Structures are given as structure tokens and as C-alpha cells.
Amino acid sequence: MESHDHLFKVLIIGDCRVGKTSLVHRYVHEKFFKSYKSTVGVDFALKALAWSDTETVRLQLWDIAGQERFTSMTRIYYKGASGCVLMFDVTSISSFHSCQKWKEDLESKALLVDGNPIPCILLANKCDLSPWQVSKDDVETFSKTSGFIAWMEISVKDNRNITESLRILAENMMATQ
Ligand code: GDP
Ligand code: MG
């Protein structure tokens, strides 16, 4: 049987300290390339998913390293991206509010060939902590009105909903490619 590889570039964005690098470390048990000297200031990691008997999905995860303060990235970073993970920290209301700016920046720079925005999943991280500074209703409303494919509460610390959320994004990218 012939095998098919699907390679997707996935952006991991969100404010500083929300858990982006931790997510990548948790999710990717295999290769992790640290490229501190990269001109665009990103780290790359690769995750392979056995999709079917004949298909492999490869996710190339782009973790912004230290550029979060801009809430805006250069076009080089967004170029060729197929999907996006936007993260906030449930104990930080400011990291949730920033998501609006992150999403707008994404939509102004990363579009599919048909002109639609690339699929983006909203992840509410650190759900192991309490109290939350954000209500689930507010997250639900924001997710719906801003065109996210879904939102999920996750905990990188407790390994909760990590593979599940990236699976949802991968399924969406496979459907829209
Ligand atoms: P980044 O700046 O977005 O890359 O965030 P980091 O991955 O460096 O994480 C920032 C801090 O949050 C670190 O101290 C992590 O250990 C912590 N952290 C990340 N995910 C979780 C989580 O799910 N729960 C808790 N309690 N802490 C977390
Ligand atoms: Mg980081």
C-alpha cells in the first residue's frame, strides 16, 4: 500500500507564560529542536500522528520564543501556516483579553488560499488551578463570535485534553486542506 504524508505548519500563539512551550514539550515526545538563534525567534518541534493505515499526519509546531510582548508577529512567522493554537491562562484575565488581538493579527496575516482564516483552536490552559479569572460563558461566547473551530479547557501540567485538542485541530486541517 502506498503511504501518504500530510505536513501541516501549526502556530502556537498567546501571551507570555500561558504555557505554550510547556504544551509543545508535553505533546512532542520525539524531536524537539531549539533554535535560539533563529532570526524569527521561534522554536520548531515535529509530531507525527498515525492517521490511518496509509496516512501519516505530521505537525510542525512553531512556538514563538520571547516575542509574545508584541501581540503581533511578522508575516514570515505566519507564512504557510495551516492551523493555529491560541492559548490563554485561566488564572490571568489579561491573557484572555489578549486573545482578541492575537486572533485579529492572525486573521490579518494568515489566510488559506480560498481567503478564509486558517483553523484556530482556543485553549484555556492551567485548568488545574483555581480560581479561574475567566467565566466559561465568556470563553464560549468569545470562541463562537471570533470564529474559533472550538475551545477546550486543558492542563499541560496534568496532561489533560492535550492530544484531544490537537486531534480536533488536525481533523479540521485535514478537512480544509
Ligand atoms: P510560555 O511563555 O507561554 O511558553 O509558557 P511556559 O510554557 O514557559 O509556561 C509558563 C509557566 O506556566 C511555567 O512555570 C509552567 O510550568 C507553567 N505551566 C504551564 N502549563 C501549566 C498548567 O497546565 N498548569 C500549571 N499549574 N502551570 C502550568
Ligand atoms: Mg515559551
Side-chain angles (χ1 to χ4, degrees):
M1 259 189 291
E2 215 180 312
S3 71
H4 296 282
D5 271 23
H6 305 269
L7 177 67
F8 296 113
K9 172 177 171 179
V10 176
L11 311 171
I12 318 287
I13 58 176
D15 278 4
C16 196
R17 306 283 300 167
V18 297
K20 300 181 298 298
T21 302
S22 304
L23 173 85
V24 172
H25 277 276
R26 168 70 82 186
Y27 186 59
V28 178
H29 310 290
E30 310 162 279
K31 295 164 194 158
F32 193 80
F33 306 110
K34 288 220 158 244
S35 51
Y36 291 115
K37 288 185 183 130
S38 157
T39 48
V40 284
V42 293
D43 289 338
F44 304 91
L46 277 173
K47 173 81 175 179
L49 304 174
W51 202 254
S52 69
D53 289 348
T54 57
E55 291 169 302
T56 303
V57 167
R58 293 182 196 283
L59 303 180
Q60 188 186 64
L61 305 168
W62 286 50
D63 176 24
I64 50 171
Q67 294 197 22
E68 296 98 325
R69 63 187 181 280
F70 300 123
T71 327
S72 166
M73 301 293 295
T74 62
R75 283 177 193 277
I76 299 161
Y77 176 71
Y78 289 119
K79 199 165 188 279
S82 301
C84 180
V85 171
L86 176 48
M87 281 176 89
F88 67 95
D89 171 349
V90 295
T91 67
S92 160
I93 187 76
S94 67
S95 75
F96 175 62
H97 287 151
S98 290
C99 289
Q100 177 106 38
K101 285 183 240 156
W102 283 112
K103 187 71 164 64
E104 283 166 11
D105 190 53
L106 179 74
E107 288 184 4
S108 71
K109 292 170 185 162
L111 297 170
L112 298 170
V113 275
D114 64 8
N116 283 317
I118 61 169
C120 184
I121 191 163
L122 180 65
L123 298 186
N125 189 33
K126 308 195 188 180
C127 71
D128 57 284
L129 297 177
S130 59
W132 285 36
Q133 279 195 9
V134 187
S135 81
K136 290 182 191 182
D137 282 351
D138 285 353
V139 182
E140 175 73 27
T141 303
F142 173 65
S143 173
K144 283 225 171 86
T145 57
S146 302
F148 289 92
I149 56 169
W151 82 273
M152 263 183 136
E153 48 180 283
I154 69 162
S155 169
V156 176
K157 184 166 173 265
D158 293 348
N159 202 6
R160 180 154 166 228
N161 279 342
I162 308 298
T163 51
E164 292 84 349
S165 55
L166 280 144
R167 182 93 195 174
I168 290 172
L169 181 63
E171 274 164 8
N172 206 286
M173 291 188 298
M174 284 292 278
T176 55
Q177 70 177 326

mmCIF file of all heavy atoms in Angstrom, residues 1-3 51-55:
data_model
loop_
_atom_site.group_PDB
_atom_site.id
_atom_site.type_symbol
_atom_site.label_atom_id
_atom_site.label_comp_id
_atom_site.label_asym_id
_atom_site.label_seq_id
_atom_site.Cartn_x
_atom_site.Cartn_y
_atom_site.Cartn_z
ATOM 1 N N MET A 1 0.834 -1.202 0.000
ATOM 2 C CA MET A 1 0.000 0.000 0.000
ATOM 3 C C MET A 1 0.872 1.256 0.000
ATOM 4 O O MET A 1 1.885 1.309 0.699
ATOM 5 C CB MET A 1 -0.908 0.017 1.233
ATOM 6 C CG MET A 1 -2.325 -0.404 0.935
ATOM 7 S SD MET A 1 -3.410 -0.122 2.336
ATOM 8 C CE MET A 1 -2.822 -1.346 3.506
ATOM 9 N N GLU A 2 0.421 2.224 -0.744
ATOM 10 C CA GLU A 2 1.160 3.470 -0.803
ATOM 11 C C GLU A 2 0.876 4.292 0.460
ATOM 12 O O GLU A 2 -0.248 4.312 0.944
ATOM 13 C CB GLU A 2 0.682 4.265 -2.017
ATOM 14 C CG GLU A 2 1.798 5.064 -2.688
ATOM 15 C CD GLU A 2 1.269 5.826 -3.891
ATOM 16 O OE1 GLU A 2 0.561 5.206 -4.717
ATOM 17 O OE2 GLU A 2 1.550 7.022 -3.978
ATOM 18 N N SER A 3 1.873 4.957 0.961
ATOM 19 C CA SER A 3 1.617 5.772 2.151
ATOM 20 C C SER A 3 1.645 7.256 1.801
ATOM 21 O O SER A 3 2.366 7.689 0.903
ATOM 22 C CB SER A 3 2.634 5.464 3.235
ATOM 23 O OG SER A 3 3.885 5.964 2.868
ATOM 24 N N TRP A 51 -2.360 8.386 11.147
ATOM 25 C CA TRP A 51 -3.728 8.836 10.876
ATOM 26 C C TRP A 51 -4.633 7.695 10.428
ATOM 27 O O TRP A 51 -5.768 7.569 10.846
ATOM 28 C CB TRP A 51 -3.692 9.947 9.830
ATOM 29 C CG TRP A 51 -4.908 10.810 9.874
ATOM 30 C CD1 TRP A 51 -5.934 10.822 8.985
ATOM 31 C CD2 TRP A 51 -5.232 11.774 10.879
ATOM 32 N NE1 TRP A 51 -6.878 11.731 9.378
ATOM 33 C CE2 TRP A 51 -6.479 12.331 10.530
ATOM 34 C CE3 TRP A 51 -4.587 12.222 12.046
ATOM 35 C CZ2 TRP A 51 -7.104 13.308 11.297
ATOM 36 C CZ3 TRP A 51 -5.206 13.194 12.808
ATOM 37 C CH2 TRP A 51 -6.441 13.723 12.436
ATOM 38 N N SER A 52 -4.098 6.884 9.540
ATOM 39 C CA SER A 52 -4.821 5.700 9.078
ATOM 40 C C SER A 52 -3.772 4.682 8.658
ATOM 41 O O SER A 52 -2.573 4.922 8.833
ATOM 42 C CB SER A 52 -5.733 6.060 7.899
ATOM 43 O OG SER A 52 -4.937 6.373 6.771
ATOM 44 N N ASP A 53 -4.208 3.582 8.091
ATOM 45 C CA ASP A 53 -3.254 2.565 7.650
ATOM 46 C C ASP A 53 -2.247 3.123 6.660
ATOM 47 O O ASP A 53 -1.108 2.672 6.595
ATOM 48 C CB ASP A 53 -3.998 1.403 6.987
ATOM 49 C CG ASP A 53 -4.764 0.586 8.008
ATOM 50 O OD1 ASP A 53 -4.526 0.803 9.213
ATOM 51 O OD2 ASP A 53 -5.602 -0.235 7.602
ATOM 52 N N THR A 54 -2.707 4.083 5.883
ATOM 53 C CA THR A 54 -1.859 4.576 4.799
ATOM 54 C C THR A 54 -1.429 6.028 4.957
ATOM 55 O O THR A 54 -0.659 6.537 4.152
ATOM 56 C CB THR A 54 -2.611 4.460 3.452
ATOM 57 O OG1 THR A 54 -3.841 5.180 3.564
ATOM 58 C CG2 THR A 54 -2.875 3.010 3.104
ATOM 59 N N GLU A 55 -1.942 6.719 5.979
ATOM 60 C CA GLU A 55 -1.658 8.140 6.099
ATOM 61 C C GLU A 55 -0.997 8.517 7.425
ATOM 62 O O GLU A 55 -1.393 8.046 8.484
ATOM 63 C CB GLU A 55 -2.956 8.952 5.988
ATOM 64 C CG GLU A 55 -3.575 8.946 4.609
ATOM 65 C CD GLU A 55 -4.967 9.533 4.660
ATOM 66 O OE1 GLU A 55 -5.798 8.997 5.411
ATOM 67 O OE2 GLU A 55 -5.199 10.534 3.974
#
